[in-house]
């Protein structure tokens, strides 16, 4: 994500901090990873002397990676697009990512994994646009091809 933002010339300090903190806590069995990551990173940032304004901004950015609501503001949109950049990677890179996701959820029986994964992937496909910033718009066609291929394989 850092590279995706930096290579597009939009990596700002708050975005960099949010990238570092957004998956600080990751448990494939949990549904509150972003909240727990935001909280843990906020505690760390406070201990480093981060201002209340910076802490609030970074917290909101981390929570935006839940992908449960459209991003609010440009910084959130950039972070969400960077988080989704893997969807628009080359077919080989996306296939490796998709295989890694399947391994992360190996504890879920295939009869449940397949429909659940299809629902997630179709959720992205059903969006009018996957990427909301001009910096990431060029990934749209490849992301749609990757997602459609993954859905077809499920």
């Amino acid at each position: 994500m850092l590279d995706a933002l930096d290579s597009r010339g939009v990596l700002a300090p708050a975005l960099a901090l949010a990238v570092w903190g957004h998956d600080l806590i990751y448990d494939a069995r949990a549904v509150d990873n972003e909240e727990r990551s935001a909280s843990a990173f906020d505690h760390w940032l406070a201990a480093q002397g981060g201002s209340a304004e910076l802490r609030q901004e970074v917290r909101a950015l981390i929570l935006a990676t839940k992908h449960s609501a459209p991003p609010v503001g440009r910084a959130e949109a950039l972070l969400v697009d960077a988080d989704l950049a893997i969807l628009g990677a080359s077919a080989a890179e996306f296939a490796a990512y998709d295989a890694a996701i399947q391994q992360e959820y190996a504890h879920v029986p295939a009869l449940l994994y397949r429909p659940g994964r299809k629902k997630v992937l179709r959720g992205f496909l059903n969006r009018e646009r996957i990427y909301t910033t001009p910096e990431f718009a060029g990934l749209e066609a490849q992301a749609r091809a990757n997602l459609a291929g993954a859905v077809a394989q499920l």
Side-chain angles (χ1 to χ4, degrees), residues 130-154:
I130 296 169
Y131 302 100
T132 61
T133 63
E135 289 82 1
F136 288 87
L139 299 177
E140 188 81 23
Q142 184 64 46
R144 290 192 177 279
N146 288 338
L147 291 166
V151 167
Q153 289 181 359
L154 289 169

Side-chain angles (χ1 to χ4, degrees), residues 5 12 14-15 57 61 64 71-81 133:
L5 293 163
L15 284 170
E57 180 180 7
L61 289 168
V72 176
R74 179 158 167 75
E76 281 189 18
L78 286 167
L79 186 66
V80 167
D81 281 1
T133 63

